[in-house]
Amino acid sequence: MGYSSWSNDAYSHLSASKMGKSGDAIFTNNASRKASDKMHPKGIKFRESRDSDTHPDSLAVSVFLDVTGSMGKIPEVLVKEKLGALMNTLIAHQILHPQILFGAIGDHISDSYSLQIGQFESGTEELDKWLTEIYIEGGGGGQVMESYLLAWLIAGRHTSLDCFEKRGQKGFLFTIGDEASWDNVSKDWLKNYMGYTQPEDVTDRQLLDEALRSHHVFHIHVNEGSYRDNPMVLNYWKNILGERLIILDNYQAIAETIASTVAVIYGVDLKHILASMETDIAKNVQNALINIKKDTLADKKDGGVFKL
């Protein structure tokens, strides 16, 4: 996967074709109320991010979107308006060969499709395909918790990344939502939903530690609506992720926030990145990334040594 290339002109055409369409018209699996078999993780081995002649220096970036309740509007914004901002911001700041995997998160306690996973891609049509393949279930259990830890499960156990395996450069993993995460996954769920043959219960911290071996892990808390400044939610993320928690007050700046985070970790001055953005978006990104600096993200398990 990831052998094709990004074209902003092609994206402009795709974006224009979706304007005026409803979410259900864009996310066609919504009509059947069923996730695509292509994105169901049962029996999954690996999602691969590979170098190629076109992309000799690939960088894996996984983006897992909360598709419960009001968060389902964010995939629609990405498809219609913001996929270009994500890719163009990365490329403009010398992240020349990003490979993006889009996934979807629900509630593994109450939802039918709590985890959906695309493929790592670099091309315009392929990225659009996996975004629009997502089923916006719109569920959630109402307990102020969703299953963001499932993204850590995939990153830690089911990805194979050339950037990490060949060059020792960690990939990036972003979860996006407005609630806390469940703190465990049962062996029964792993068996029934994932197809594990000899599962054991796992905790959020176990899965996070596994993901951190090969990924820089961030959570973007969309600080709007019912859970704005919610202490239970924010305390959970501060406790488990610390400065890797990104608090964003405007979901319209999601794409720019993701791309800017990657660029900052790679040493680009945030002021330089913000200079190309609209004023309101730049302000939101600046506020969200106040704690994100290249030299403050050392992993404790690496003995304090920061690794790109």
Side-chain angles (χ1 to χ4, degrees), residues 194-302:
M194 298 289 295
Y196 280 26
T197 56
Q198 295 180 308
E200 297 179 353
D201 294 351
V202 288
T203 68
D204 53 353
R205 291 187 180 273
Q206 285 177 283
L207 294 175
L208 177 59
D209 283 345
E210 291 179 16
L212 282 169
R213 293 170 190 161
S214 56
H215 291 75
H216 298 299
V217 179
F218 299 89
H219 178 74
I220 299 176
H221 172 70
V222 181
N223 199 33
E224 300 183 74
S226 301
Y227 300 115
R228 183 178 181 87
D229 297 325
N230 184 290
M232 174 185 169
V233 174
L234 294 177
N235 287 340
Y236 170 84
W237 288 113
K238 289 175 182 177
N239 184 46
I240 200 165
L241 282 183
E243 61 200 0
R244 298 169 185 269
L245 167 63
I246 297 170
I247 301 174
L248 182 64
D249 290 331
N250 182 354
Y251 74 90
Q252 293 282 350
I254 284 285
E256 292 89 349
T257 299
I258 293 169
S260 298
T261 301
V262 176
V264 166
I265 298 304
Y266 267 76
V268 182
D269 189 324
L270 181 58
K271 292 181 180 178
H272 177 67
I273 304 169
L274 298 176
S276 62
M277 298 179 188
E278 296 178 4
T279 301
D280 185 57
I281 295 295
K283 180 180 178 180
N284 277 278
V285 173
Q286 182 176 34
N287 290 340
L289 299 190
I290 189 168
N291 294 320
I292 304 299
K293 300 178 180 65
K294 177 180 178 180
D295 59 359
T296 59
L297 287 179
D299 294 333
K300 292 180 180 179
K301 68 183 189 58
D302 287 333

Side-chain angles (χ1 to χ4, degrees), residues 181-200:
S181 177
W182 287 105
D183 62 4
N184 71 89
V185 179
S186 73
K187 61 184 178 182
D188 288 340
W189 187 89
L190 291 170
K191 178 180 179 180
N192 296 331
Y193 198 86
M194 298 289 295
Y196 280 26
T197 56
Q198 295 180 308
E200 297 179 353

Side-chain angles (χ1 to χ4, degrees), residues 6 9 21 54 57 62 80-81 107 150 155 202 211 221 248 282-283:
W6 172 257
D9 288 342
K21 289 185 177 181
T54 307
D57 193 23
S62 298
K80 286 183 174 180
E81 305 172 37
D107 185 331
L150 298 182
V202 288
H221 172 70
L248 182 64
K283 180 180 178 180

Side-chain angles (χ1 to χ4, degrees), residues 66-70 106-107 110-111 136-142 146 179:
D66 184 337
V67 293
T68 66
S70 63
D107 185 331
S110 61
D111 288 349
I136 312 297
E137 187 167 6
E146 306 297 357
E179 302 187 49

